[in-house]
Amino acid sequence: MLKWAWMLPLLVVLQGCIPSYKFNGSALNYDIYKTIDITEFPIRAALVYPPLQQTFENKLLDTVTRQTRLQEIDGNADLEMTGEITGYSLSPQSVGEDAYATETRLTITVRVKYTDTKNPSNDIDQSFSAYRQFSSTLMLTDVQDDLCNEICDELVNLIFNATLGNW
């Protein structure tokens, strides 16, 4: 028993030396990047759900402020994010025995233009899409808010990782 007693303090010391990594933040150099300008994302889709714009913008701004130390300002920022909601569509997915759709897919597409004024090679002009399916027995108006929240969460994560996350 005493042979192994010397290892106990060593294990305690080594346990405190285990590195840990968080993959929910950004990979920004805060000595260079201090500000970001996030503009409105107007709806340019053929089908319009008015609360979508505010929901998306709030989630995007909230994610940036929670996961970075960037200060959001209007105009002349180190980083700029602009865009528009270009798609809001419904499409049938599964067909039942009676030849009617049993599931419907709601897809939202957002075009984002990300400008890095310090390093233009990081600029992005890209569209991001996400979707959720729901039973065709449900009315869209009954599930629309929840679906839009879930889809916006996914879109914001995709956008954050492609721009500020720099993965």
Side-chain angles (χ1 to χ4, degrees), residues 12-32:
V12 171
V13 169
L14 289 177
Q15 188 175 7
C17 296
I18 298 172
S20 67
Y21 299 96
K22 282 177 63 180
F23 291 105
N24 65 349
S26 70
L28 294 171
N29 180 345
Y30 292 108
D31 293 330
I32 298 171

Side-chain angles (χ1 to χ4, degrees), residues 8-117:
L8 185 59
L10 181 62
L11 287 174
V12 171
V13 169
L14 289 177
Q15 188 175 7
C17 296
I18 298 172
S20 67
Y21 299 96
K22 282 177 63 180
F23 291 105
N24 65 349
S26 70
L28 294 171
N29 180 345
Y30 292 108
D31 293 330
I32 298 171
Y33 300 103
K34 298 185 182 339
T35 58
I36 188 168
D37 181 14
I38 300 174
T39 64
E40 290 185 357
F41 280 72
I43 300 173
R44 304 274 190 248
L47 184 59
V48 175
Y49 178 56
L52 177 61
Q53 179 179 353
Q54 194 67 45
T55 299
F56 175 78
E57 290 172 358
N58 287 345
K59 287 181 179 289
L60 180 60
L61 188 56
D62 184 53
T63 297
V64 170
T65 55
R66 275 189 297 108
Q67 296 190 19
T68 72
R69 294 185 306 211
L70 296 171
Q71 180 183 359
E72 207 282 326
I73 63 169
D74 290 330
N76 295 341
D78 300 325
L79 302 166
E80 298 170 357
M81 202 177 295
T82 62
E84 58 193 0
I85 299 167
T86 58
Y88 186 88
S89 61
L90 295 167
S91 56
Q93 291 305 301
S94 302
V95 179
E97 294 174 8
D98 56 1
Y100 288 104
T102 58
E103 284 192 319
T104 303
R105 176 179 288 180
L106 173 61
T107 304
I108 300 174
T109 304
V110 178
R111 180 174 173 248
V112 175
K113 185 175 180 191
Y114 173 78
T115 305
D116 183 336
T117 61

